[in-house]
């Protein structure tokens, strides 16, 4: 045993002597060149190649590093043994991540890659205008050389897309509104935001299930239609017009659309916008994957009577007092300081400026579709018209289930049949039915009885007063809606023809 330790000590002494001899004979520069040459020989015959993705690129944050970190968090929670937990700003969920100097294997299109999270201490910094973190972080991607083209052309783009989806899913949605008077916030943005917590979904929305499914399918086709819109040469946007009596769930529909797609909402208050150029600037500051809403557009600003506006323009050409700005036609608008025109709003939704972003949805709401200019209603601006009607029997059953937890089997068959008979005559909005159920939600049987009595009394009153829509030629909701739209368009066409005749007559005089 003593001989073994003596031999080991002698060997270590020889190695130390050789090391000191090498250091004295070969200078550091020569040793560094030798190691560099050896490293090149190693990589020349190696079947792998390596890519480093650092956290800091110069003085800016590397977006690819953040994307890789988010992307790996979706698989690390299952495969990793040692994880780090993080929670982002405006996020209600916790995400997983690789711990320091840990690695994980990923597969893409049958190709296996290795990710390693490398964390090292940064050297002591000299004076800098922007101090860097003490730790130097980055990811190292190891792939086979034969798969290099596939990884660089597709895999990294796939990671960016998946990271955006994960970020949008984890991050709470925001509700934006334009600042009062066009002012900017502390960051120079014209929009102010709060977390969007509206619980409305398509499952709880009181609407006919068939119509509801049509809307959901249309939204899904839009969200997944990037290639389709590029192929057809159309801007990736879509417009929805929600109209109907007050209290029929137009705002709840917007919230359900946002929750279904995971989009932010920009609630545009037109009365705070002073010009068309300001309207365009607001559009430019909206993000992709968002819903831009203008509620009660017929009440926001006067965009409905082009005949009156054109008559003022005609008068301003021939009347001196109007040319000086004293005419009464524009006095009200000038007094309000609002110079938004119908042309500006149309360009906002369907002009060149509407293409400055992608994956946007425009939603207009109104209680009176007949007051809107037909130019706002055509396809390409408002692609889908959704009539928010009074409660029918399917929507009534949804509300009873939402507020009382009752299914069809929990309600007496005779009561259900009687509700089905009178609900159309009652013409109650979902808001009215909801209030009737909320005030008696502690006594569910009483809530059902009082709701049925309310439906009967309203139905009898409407029939007696001749207000029931089914009394007039037995028209359906869809036929009534189509008739209103047709009447609005025909009325506008007649006004345009009459205006052209007046202009021609004035020119002849």
């Amino acid at each position: 045993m003593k001989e073994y330790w003596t031999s080991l000590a002698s060997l270590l002494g020889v190695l130390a002597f050789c090391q000191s001899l090498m250091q004295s004979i070969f200078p550091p520069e020569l040793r560094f060149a030798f190691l560099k040459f050896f490293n090149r020989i190693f990589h020349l015959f190696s079947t792998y190649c390596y890519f480093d993705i650092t956290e800091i690129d110069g003085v800016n944050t590397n977006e690819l590093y953040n994307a890789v970190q988010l992307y790996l968090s979706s698989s690390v929670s299952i495969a990793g043994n040692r994880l780090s937990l993080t929670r982002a700003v405006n996020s209600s969920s916790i995400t997983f991540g690789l711990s320091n100097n840990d690695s994980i294997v990923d597969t893409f299109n049958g190709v296996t890659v290795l990710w390693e999270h490398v964390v090292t201490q940064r050297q002591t910094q000299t004076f800098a205008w922007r101090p860097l973190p003490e730790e130097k972080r980055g990811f190292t991607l190891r792939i086979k050389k034969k798969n290099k083209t596939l990884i660089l052309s597709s895999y990294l783009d796939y990671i960016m897309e998946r990271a955006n989806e994960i970020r949008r899913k984890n991050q709470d949605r925001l509700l934006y509104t334009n600042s009062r008077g066009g002012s900017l916030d502390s960051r120079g943005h014209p929009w102010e935001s709060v977390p969007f917590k509206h619980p409305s979904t398509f499952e709880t929305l009181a609407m006919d299930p068939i119509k509801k499914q049509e809307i959901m399918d249309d939204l899904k086709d839009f969200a997944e239609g990037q290639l389709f819109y590029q192929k057809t040469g159309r801007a990736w946007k879509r417009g929805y017009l929600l109209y109907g009596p007050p209290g029929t769930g137009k705002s709840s529909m917007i919230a359900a659309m946002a929750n279904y797609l995971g989009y932010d909402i920009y609630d545009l208050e037109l009365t705070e916008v002073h010009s068309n150029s300001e309207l365009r600037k607001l559009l430019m500051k909206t993000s992709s994957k968002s819903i831009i809403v203008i509620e009660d557009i017929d009440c926001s600003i006067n965009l409905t009577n082009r005949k009156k506006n054109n008559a003022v323009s005609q008068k301003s050409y021939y009347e001196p007092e109007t040319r000086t700005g004293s005419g009464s036609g524009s006095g009200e608008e000038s007094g309000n300081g609002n110079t938004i025109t119908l042309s500006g709003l149309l360009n906002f939704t369907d002009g060149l400026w509407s293409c400055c972003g992608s994956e946007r949805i425009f939603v207009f709401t109104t209680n009176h579709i007949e007051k809107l200019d037909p130019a706002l209603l055509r396809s390409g601006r408002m692609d889908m018209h959704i009539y928010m009607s009074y409660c029918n029997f399917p929507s009534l059953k949804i509300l009873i289930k939402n507020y009382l937890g009752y299914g069809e089997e929990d309600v007496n068959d005779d009561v259900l049949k009687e509700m089905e008979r009178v609900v159309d005559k009652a013409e109650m909005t979902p808001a009215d039915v909801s209030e009737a159920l909320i005030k008696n939600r502690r006594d569910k049987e009483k809530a059902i009885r009082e709701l049925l009595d309310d439906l009967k009394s309203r139905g009898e009153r409407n029939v007696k007063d001749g207000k029931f829509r089914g009394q007039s030629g037995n028209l359906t909701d869809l036929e009534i809606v189509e008739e209103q739209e047709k009447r609005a368009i025909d009325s506008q066409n007649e006004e345009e023809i009459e205006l052209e005749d007046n202009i021609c007559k004035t020119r002849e005089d």
Side-chain angles (χ1 to χ4, degrees):
M1 188 68 179
K2 184 178 180 180
E3 295 177 355
Y4 169 77
W5 289 110
T6 303
S7 301
L8 181 61
S10 301
L11 179 60
L12 292 175
V14 172
L15 291 176
F17 174 76
C18 293
Q19 183 178 5
S20 61
L21 182 63
M22 291 287 293
Q23 290 179 354
S24 61
I25 296 176
F26 298 101
E29 294 80 4
L30 184 60
R31 295 199 306 270
F32 177 76
F34 176 77
L35 291 175
K36 187 176 180 181
F37 175 76
F38 178 77
N39 192 31
R40 286 185 177 181
I41 296 297
F42 174 77
H43 285 294
L44 182 63
F45 292 98
S46 175
T47 59
Y48 294 98
C49 57
Y50 299 83
F51 297 94
D52 293 329
I53 302 173
T54 58
E55 180 183 17
I56 305 296
D57 180 18
V59 294
N60 299 319
T61 302
N62 189 352
E63 293 186 3
L64 184 56
Y65 173 87
N66 296 332
V68 171
Q69 194 173 33
L70 276 177
Y71 169 72
L72 294 180
S73 68
S74 61
S75 55
V76 161
S77 58
I78 300 176
N81 295 323
R82 185 179 181 88
L83 309 175
S84 63
L85 304 178
T86 57
R87 179 173 177 176
V89 180
N90 291 329
S91 175
S92 57
S93 61
I94 297 176
T95 58
F96 300 88
L98 279 176
S99 296
N100 297 349
N101 301 314
D102 201 358
S103 60
I104 188 174
V105 175
D106 188 30
T107 303
F108 176 73
N109 290 345
V111 177
T112 302
V113 301
L114 177 69
W115 286 100
E116 183 180 1
H117 191 205
V118 181
V119 180
T120 58
Q121 291 294 325
R122 195 182 298 274
Q123 296 180 356
T124 304
Q125 303 178 52
T126 57
F127 174 77
W129 292 106
R130 182 181 178 183
L132 297 175
E134 295 181 357
E135 293 181 336
K136 185 178 181 181
R137 297 174 176 270
F139 286 100
T140 297
L141 172 62
R142 190 192 75 176
I143 60 175
K144 290 186 177 181
K145 292 181 178 179
K146 63 179 182 179
N147 302 321
K148 183 177 179 179
T149 304
L150 172 66
I151 295 301
L152 295 181
S153 62
S154 304
Y155 184 49
L156 296 180
D157 291 338
Y158 171 75
I159 288 176
M160 295 295 293
E161 293 176 2
R162 285 284 296 130
N164 290 332
E165 293 176 4
I166 296 172
R167 186 181 294 110
R168 189 169 62 253
K169 181 180 179 181
N170 294 339
Q171 186 176 357
D172 290 339
R173 282 171 292 282
L174 297 176
L175 174 62
Y176 293 86
T177 183
N178 49 312
S179 303
R180 182 177 180 84
S183 60
L184 304 178
D185 63 4
S186 58
R187 297 173 299 170
H189 294 171
W191 296 97
E192 301 173 355
S193 64
V194 295
F196 180 70
K197 301 289 186 180
H198 202 294
S200 178
T201 63
F202 278 105
E203 287 74 18
T204 61
L205 197 64
M207 177 181 282
D208 182 73
I210 297 177
K211 184 191 297 184
K212 192 188 305 184
Q213 189 60 47
E214 291 178 357
I215 299 172
M216 294 171 64
D217 292 341
D218 190 78
L219 290 171
K220 184 178 180 180
D221 290 341
F222 169 79
E224 298 176 353
Q226 181 178 10
L227 295 178
F228 170 78
Y229 281 88
Q230 289 179 352
K231 180 181 177 181
T232 55
R234 292 173 58 95
W236 193 9
K237 64 179 184 61
R238 192 154 179 82
Y240 295 86
L241 176 67
L242 309 182
Y243 63 104
T248 51
K250 292 184 282 294
S251 297
S252 297
M253 168 64 77
I254 296 172
M257 294 167 69
N259 289 328
Y260 180 70
L261 295 175
Y263 287 6
D264 293 333
I265 295 180
Y266 288 85
D267 185 12
L268 179 59
E269 180 58 53
L270 284 181
T271 56
E272 296 295 338
V273 184
H274 299 145
S275 64
N276 293 336
S277 60
E278 186 177 332
L279 188 64
R280 288 194 296 267
K281 292 177 182 178
L282 286 171
L283 178 64
M284 293 171 61
K285 292 296 183 179
T286 58
S287 61
S288 300
K289 298 182 182 295
S290 60
I291 300 176
I292 301 173
V293 179
I294 303 179
E295 292 192 281
D296 297 322
I297 188 172
D298 57 302
C299 302
S300 298
I301 52 178
N302 185 18
L303 298 173
T304 57
N305 194 343
R306 282 195 294 179
K307 178 181 178 180
K308 178 180 178 180
N309 295 337
N310 288 334
V312 172
S313 300
Q314 178 185 353
K315 182 179 179 182
S316 64
Y317 182 81
Y318 293 104
E319 301 292 340
E321 67 274 11
T322 307
R323 287 202 301 270
T324 61
S326 61
S328 60
S330 59
E332 181 181 356
E333 187 173 320
S334 300
N336 293 335
N338 192 311
T339 58
I340 298 178
T341 62
L342 177 62
S343 175
L345 185 61
L346 296 181
N347 290 329
F348 176 80
T349 57
D350 191 34
L352 292 176
W353 287 100
S354 67
C355 310
C356 62
S358 62
E359 202 170 350
R360 287 196 183 102
I361 291 177
F362 293 88
V363 178
F364 292 173
T365 71
T366 179
N367 297 332
H368 306 282
I369 189 175
E370 68 278 0
K371 292 184 179 180
L372 298 183
D373 195 291
L376 283 171
L377 305 180
R378 72 165 179 81
S379 298
R381 288 170 182 149
M382 296 294 104
D383 302 286
M384 191 173 187
H385 298 183
I386 302 174
Y387 178 60
M388 309 297 292
S389 64
Y390 293 104
C391 255
N392 53 23
F393 188 57
S395 59
L396 184 64
K397 291 189 293 184
I398 293 175
L399 291 173
I400 292 175
K401 184 177 181 180
N402 290 344
Y403 290 97
L404 304 180
Y406 275 3
E408 291 188 52
E409 65 279 359
D410 300 319
V411 183
N412 186 276
D413 292 339
D414 295 334
V415 175
L416 281 177
K417 291 180 180 178
E418 187 66 14
M419 285 183 172
E420 186 176 9
R421 185 183 67 84
V422 299
V423 64
D424 290 334
K425 299 177 183 178
E427 294 189 345
M428 288 184 67
T429 64
D432 294 333
V433 175
S434 299
E435 181 58 31
L437 295 175
I438 288 175
K439 66 181 181 182
N440 295 313
R441 64 184 183 277
R442 296 182 181 275
D443 189 348
K444 299 180 180 180
E445 297 297 331
K446 180 182 178 182
I448 293 294
R449 289 195 306 269
E450 291 196 2
L451 176 60
L452 180 58
D453 293 340
D454 199 3
L455 289 171
K456 287 182 178 179
S457 61
R458 292 199 182 200
E460 292 173 358
R461 184 169 62 251
N462 288 338
V463 172
K464 180 179 178 180
D465 297 341
K467 296 180 180 179
F468 174 46
R469 60 183 182 274
Q471 298 292 316
S472 178
N474 295 323
L475 293 178
T476 64
D477 284 346
L478 181 60
E479 291 172 339
I480 293 174
V481 171
E482 292 177 348
E483 182 65 25
Q484 289 177 344
E485 293 185 14
K486 183 176 182 297
R487 192 182 305 118
I489 295 175
D490 291 344
S491 174
Q492 183 63 37
N493 291 337
E494 292 176 359
E495 291 178 356
E496 290 178 350
I497 294 174
E498 181 180 355
L499 180 61
E500 291 177 359
D501 292 341
N502 292 336
I503 292 175
C504 293
K505 184 177 180 181
T506 304
R507 288 176 176 173
E508 292 176 356
D509 294 340

